[in-house]
Amino acid sequence: MTRARIVGTGLIGTSIGLALRAAGWQVSLQDPSPTAAALARDLGAGTIDDETPDVVVVAAPPDVAARVVAEQLERWPGAAVTDVASVKGNIASGVAALAGPGSVERYVGSHPMAGRERSGAVAGRPDLFEGRAWVVVPTPRSAPEAVDAVRALAAAARGEVVVMTADEHDAAVAAVSHVPQVMATLTAARLRDRDEHAVGLAGQGLRDVTRIAASDPQLWTQILAGNAAGVREVLLDVQEDLAAALDALAALADEASTSGADDGPHGERRGEHANALGGRYAPAPGAPGARAVLARLLDDGNRGRALVPGKHGGAPTAYDVVTVVIPDEPGSLGRLFAEVGDAGINIEDLHLEHAVGHPVALAEVSVLPAASDRLRDHLRSTGWRIH
C-alpha cells in the first residue's frame, strides 16, 4: 500500500488526504499548527504519525514552499517530494538552491488545477480534483521514478495528469487562473463606492464575473508575486485591448454629446421642429470605426470563451437554459431537482438569481438542447412557472 505524507492541512492538503484515503492510500498529516493537523485528522484526511512515506506532498504557501520541500527531502531520503503551489518556476529554483546534494532528483513540482473560495480543512472535499487537470512539472534533474510517483499520486486523487515544464505552466496559469483573479478583483472593487440600491440591481452576470473575487488576499498576493512576470505579460495585452476600448468609447461619447447637446426630450433640437430638417432628426453617425473596435473585442471574447473545455474536460457544449420561477423558501430547489429527475433529464449547470423585492428566485437550469422542450413541457404540466 502506498504511503503519502501531507505537509500543510488547509483546503488543498486536506482534500488530497481525503482523496488518497478514498483510493486506499495510507496518509499521514503534518502542519505547523497542531490544531489544524488534528482537525484534518478528525475529518478523515489521515493520521498523525512519523511513519516513512513513499511520497511527500507539500501544501504550503508559495513563499515558503521551496524551504519546506528542502526540509522534507532531507527528512525523508527515500521519498519523492512534490509541492502543489500554483507557481512553479520560482519554487523549482528555490529547491535547487536549498536542497542538499543528491536530493533534488527526488523533487517534482505539481499543481492541481482545483480550488474553492473557502479555505481551511473544513472546506476539504475528496472529489475536489476529480476530472480536473493536475499538472506534473518535472525539473531537468527529476528522476524518472520520482516523476512516476507524483503521477501516480495525482491519478489516485482522480486528477487528469498533464505534464509541463515550469515555464509552460507559469505562462499558462497566468492566462487561465491568475489574470482572471485580477480581473474579477478589479471588477468587484468597482462596487465599493456604489450605494446599496445600485448593487441591488446585480444579476447573474456580475455574480459569475466576481465569484472568485472572494478569494484570500494574502494567498493571492503570494501567488501573483511568485508569477509576476507571467501575469504582467498577459496584463500588458489586456492593457492594449482596454486602451482600444477606452478610445472607442471616448469617440462614441463625443458623438453622443455633439449630436444630442441641443436635443429636446424627444430627440428634437430645442427651438426647431423635426420637420424643419426634412423629417425625424437623425444626425449622420460619427466616431468612424469605434463600433467596429468594440465589436471585434466582443467577438474575440466569444472566440476565447468557446475554447474553454466543457463538462469533464471534453469539447465545449452549448446548453439550453430553462428558467424556472421558484418560491424563495426551504425545499423549493429540492422539489425542482426532483421534477427534473422525474423527467429523466440531467442538469448540466445551474444558476440561481434572486428577484429584487420579491419572495421568488429564478433558477436557470442548463440542459442539453434536445431535452429543453421536454423539460419545459414537463415542468409546466406539474405547476412550475417557466420564465
Side-chain angles (χ1 to χ4, degrees):
M1 180 180 294
T2 307
R3 185 170 182 85
R5 184 174 186 82
I6 297 172
V7 183
T9 54
L11 165 67
I12 299 299
T14 299
S15 295
I16 293 172
L18 292 169
L20 294 179
R21 288 286 296 272
W25 287 39
Q26 293 185 19
V27 179
S28 61
L29 305 170
Q30 177 185 337
D31 194 281
S33 165
T35 301
L39 175 59
R41 176 201 60 198
D42 293 349
L43 292 170
T47 60
I48 299 176
D49 60 54
D50 286 328
E51 291 192 29
T52 302
D54 301 302
V55 58
V56 178
V57 180
V58 172
D63 60 345
V64 299
R67 174 177 58 80
V68 179
V69 167
E71 292 171 354
Q72 297 300 312
L73 287 168
E74 181 179 0
R75 183 176 182 184
W76 308 107
V81 179
T82 187
D83 74 285
V84 290
S86 62
V87 293
K88 296 273 71 90
N90 282 356
I91 293 174
S93 298
V95 171
L98 295 172
S103 64
V104 73
E105 291 79 6
R106 292 183 285 111
Y107 167 69
V108 180
S110 72
H111 179 204
M113 299 294 295
R116 302 182 68 186
E117 296 78 49
R118 298 174 59 197
S119 59
V122 293
R125 290 170 39 179
D127 62 348
L128 185 65
F129 313 105
E130 185 170 3
R132 302 279 188 168
W134 189 311
V135 188
V136 175
V137 187
T139 74
R141 298 172 63 182
S142 297
E145 54 269 26
V147 177
D148 289 344
V150 175
R151 290 177 65 109
L153 180 143
R158 293 184 286 178
E160 299 295 328
V161 177
V162 179
V163 179
M164 289 179 151
T165 67
D167 287 346
E168 290 171 338
H169 168 273
D170 289 354
V173 296
V176 304
S177 177
H178 301 168
V179 167
Q181 176 67 50
V182 173
M183 302 305 290
T185 298
L186 293 176
T187 301
R190 305 283 69 76
L191 304 176
R192 290 174 304 171
D193 300 325
R194 303 289 180 178
D195 63 44
E196 62 181 17
H197 300 295
V199 179
L201 299 177
Q204 192 60 47
L206 181 70
R207 292 181 175 88
D208 289 345
V209 168
T210 61
R211 179 181 60 83
I212 58 175
S215 299
D216 181 0
Q218 180 176 348
L219 173 63
W220 271 97
T221 298
Q222 296 175 20
I223 292 170
L224 295 174
N227 197 18
V231 173
R232 180 178 182 273
E233 185 174 349
V234 180
L235 284 178
L236 285 172
D237 290 339
V238 173
Q239 185 180 46
E240 289 184 9
D241 285 349
L242 183 59
L246 285 170
D247 288 345
L249 292 170
L252 291 167
D254 287 345
E255 171 192 291
S257 176
T258 301
S259 65
D262 297 311
D263 286 0
H266 302 294
E268 300 173 357
R269 287 187 181 275
R270 294 187 184 126
E272 296 181 21
H273 192 276
N275 286 339
L277 298 174
R280 175 181 290 190
Y281 172 60
R291 292 169 178 80
V293 169
L294 297 178
R296 281 195 295 269
L297 290 172
L298 293 166
D299 185 62
D300 284 346
N302 290 166
R303 293 172 183 270
R305 180 64 179 83
L307 297 175
V308 177
K311 188 176 178 181
H312 303 312
T317 302
Y319 298 122
D320 278 356
V321 175
V322 177
T323 303
V324 187
V325 180
I326 65 173
D328 193 4
E329 60 187 30
S332 294
L333 195 57
R335 292 195 299 273
L336 175 62
F337 286 171
E339 292 289 0
V340 176
D342 289 345
I345 295 171
N346 189 54
I347 297 176
E348 306 294 339
D349 200 356
L350 176 74
H351 286 131
L352 277 180
E353 183 172 350
H354 295 274
V356 178
H358 298 283
V360 297
L362 300 179
E364 298 179 346
V365 181
S366 296
V367 297
L368 292 173
S372 60
D373 286 343
R374 179 159 54 92
L375 179 58
R376 289 186 183 94
D377 291 343
H378 176 79
L379 292 177
R380 285 193 182 102
S381 71
T382 54
W384 292 92
R385 278 201 299 144
I386 306 300
H387 183 69

